[in-house]
Amino acid sequence: MFAMNFTVHTANGSTVTIRRRGIEFDLETRNARGETISTVVMNEADVKALLTSAGVHINAFDDAYDRGYRDGRRDGDAA
């Protein structure tokens, strides 16, 4: 799992914020006046798929650390 509070600011002043809420995430869109337009609740897999399909790379999705740990490496070990 990854911790996240991520906001994208659009050219017209709107925002899209992804915020962890327990084991789920809220995606909230606001218009330029700051009014909430919509809120969508998603699970982690759906958020990951959404961001991946949009071409967003977030280090929390990089499983290189986990792979290295499974291979017997520890913090500070060379790859």
Side-chain angles (χ1 to χ4, degrees):
M1 288 213 187
F2 58 96
M4 176 183 268
N5 187 13
F6 180 75
T7 300
V8 175
H9 298 271
T10 67
N12 70 357
S14 299
T15 61
V16 178
T17 301
I18 301 173
R19 187 177 293 116
R20 181 176 282 286
R21 183 174 60 94
I23 62 171
E24 297 177 318
F25 292 83
D26 285 337
L27 277 71
E28 178 184 40
T29 58
R30 291 180 177 254
N31 63 19
R33 294 187 304 260
E35 302 165 328
T36 298
I37 302 302
S38 66
T39 301
V40 177
V41 177
M42 299 176 86
N43 64 32
E44 185 170 353
D46 291 339
V47 170
K48 181 178 178 179
L50 172 68
L51 294 175
T52 299
S53 70
V56 175
H57 177 77
I58 295 179
N59 290 338
F61 294 149
D62 186 356
D63 67 347
Y65 181 86
D66 293 332
R67 286 190 317 253
Y69 193 82
R70 283 192 304 270
D71 292 343
R73 293 194 181 100
R74 298 295 178 256
D75 291 339
D77 287 352

